[in-house]
């Protein structure tokens, strides 16, 4: 049973550039959430996708956008990169939108360094 | 605003020295409290979900408990391989059911 998979694992970008991160959810899961984790911090919620629509959004600027495909996989796009965007980006999946205590499962993350 | 506070921030133990990590929360209508283990540079690995006060769950040397205000992760006779950051998250209606994470407790177990 494949878990949550993310790509790429590491990448380095220059300020002002754009980046796309990809995620495939755990088998049987249709809801994907993205989190940003800075060093020494807990994961911070960016947004959640279900049925190819953004359902919830955290306190992140519009430079952060996403997409969900019919096969439930998802992309996170960040435009006009800032040095402060350097972090571990985590994808998490769950069965159906949460509200009943569904556990979310994380991928290994994509390390983004902005220079 | 929902709050999740984990303590201590860091904990150093000798192998075999049992201890507990704390996760206190201030949310209404808790739907679930989650514990994860995170190794350096890796994604969080799911450990437990607790749903109601009084509930307990165990896995190997770990035992998680839940009250109406806090959760404890008890580590019995830890081994060096238990070294990791342990994250707690809560899910409640006030946060639109999106899990809110604490900053974690960094545990180091010395041989």
């Amino acid at each position: 049973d494949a878990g949550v998979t993310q790509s790429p694992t590491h990448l380095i970008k220059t300020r002002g550039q754009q980046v796309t991160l990809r995620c495939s959810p755990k088998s049987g899961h249709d809801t994907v959430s993205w989190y940003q984790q800075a060093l020494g911090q807990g994961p911070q919620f960016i947004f959640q996708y279900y049925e190819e629509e953004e359902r919830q959004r955290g306190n992140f600027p519009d430079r952060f956008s996403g997409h969900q495909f019919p096969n439930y996989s998802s992309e996170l796009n960040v435009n006009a990169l800032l040095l402060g965007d350097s972090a571990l980006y985590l994808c998490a999946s769950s069965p159906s939108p949460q509200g009943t205590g569904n556990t979310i499962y994380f991928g290994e993350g994509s390390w983004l360094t902005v220079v | 605003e929902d709050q999740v506070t984990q303590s201590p921030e860091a904990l150093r133990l000798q192998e075999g020295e049992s201890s507990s990590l704390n996760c206190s929360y201030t949310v209404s209508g808790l739907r679930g409290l989650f514990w994860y283990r995170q190794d350096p540079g890796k994604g969080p690995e799911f450990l437990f979900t607790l749903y109601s006060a009084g509930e307990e769950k165990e896995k190997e040397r770990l035992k998680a408990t839940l009250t109406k205000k806090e959760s404890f992760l008890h580590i019995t006779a830890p081994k060096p391989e238990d070294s990791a950051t342990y994250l707690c998250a809560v899910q409640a209606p006030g946060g639109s059911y999106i899990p809110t994470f604490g900053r974690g407790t960094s545990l180091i177990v010395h041989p």
Side-chain angles (χ1 to χ4, degrees):
Chain A
D1 178 20
V4 180
T5 58
Q6 293 186 242
S7 63
T9 55
H10 295 82
L11 68 168
I12 300 174
K13 291 287 187 178
T14 303
R15 278 180 298 175
Q17 285 188 318
Q18 178 264 347
V19 67
T20 297
L21 308 178
R22 296 176 176 81
C23 171
S24 292
K26 182 179 171 65
S27 178
H29 289 185
D30 57 11
T31 301
V32 173
S33 300
W34 287 92
Y35 287 78
Q36 180 195 66
Q37 186 177 24
L39 281 175
Q41 304 291 321
Q44 297 295 312
F45 174 71
I46 303 175
F47 43 53
Q48 181 187 78
Y49 277 84
Y50 171 68
E51 291 186 334
E52 302 180 50
E53 291 187 9
E54 182 182 297
R55 300 290 179 167
Q56 301 279 357
R57 189 178 183 93
N59 189 26
F60 279 81
D62 292 343
R63 297 186 298 109
F64 290 77
S65 63
H67 188 78
Q68 186 178 35
F69 300 94
N71 66 353
Y72 310 124
S73 66
S74 177
E75 288 182 349
L76 164 65
N77 300 291
V78 187
N79 295 321
L81 286 167
L82 304 174
L83 295 178
D85 294 331
S86 296
L88 178 66
Y89 287 85
L90 296 164
C91 174
S93 73
S94 62
S96 298
Q98 296 167 279
T100 57
N102 284 332
T103 300
I104 62 171
Y105 293 86
F106 286 90
E108 293 291 358
S110 294
W111 274 105
L112 171 65
T113 301
V114 182
V115 297
Chain B
E1 183 178 327
D2 295 345
Q3 292 285 341
V4 182
T5 303
Q6 292 189 246
S7 61
E9 290 187 9
L11 181 62
R12 293 178 179 269
L13 300 173
Q14 289 297 128
E15 185 172 1
E17 179 186 3
S18 301
S19 188
S20 297
L21 312 182
N22 177 264
C23 172
S24 63
Y25 60 92
T26 55
V27 303
S28 298
L30 182 74
R31 287 291 187 272
L33 184 142
F34 311 97
W35 282 98
Y36 292 85
R37 168 194 170 123
Q38 187 173 29
D39 292 309
K42 302 290 186 181
E45 174 189 351
F46 170 71
L47 294 174
F48 305 108
T49 302
L50 302 169
Y51 295 102
S52 57
E55 189 174 2
E56 299 181 352
K57 289 191 176 177
E58 291 188 62
K59 179 181 180 181
E60 297 181 353
R61 295 177 293 282
L62 299 177
K63 178 180 178 180
T65 62
L66 180 64
T67 72
K68 290 185 177 180
K69 293 183 178 181
E70 58 193 349
S71 176
F72 291 94
L73 184 64
H74 307 276
I75 304 177
T76 302
K79 298 181 177 181
E81 53 261 43
D82 294 323
S83 298
T85 294
Y86 290 85
L87 294 166
C88 166
V90 298
Q91 184 189 57
S96 299
Y97 301 105
I98 300 299
T100 300
F101 282 82
R103 296 180 63 168
T105 292
S106 174
L107 172 65
I108 297 176
V109 181
H110 296 285

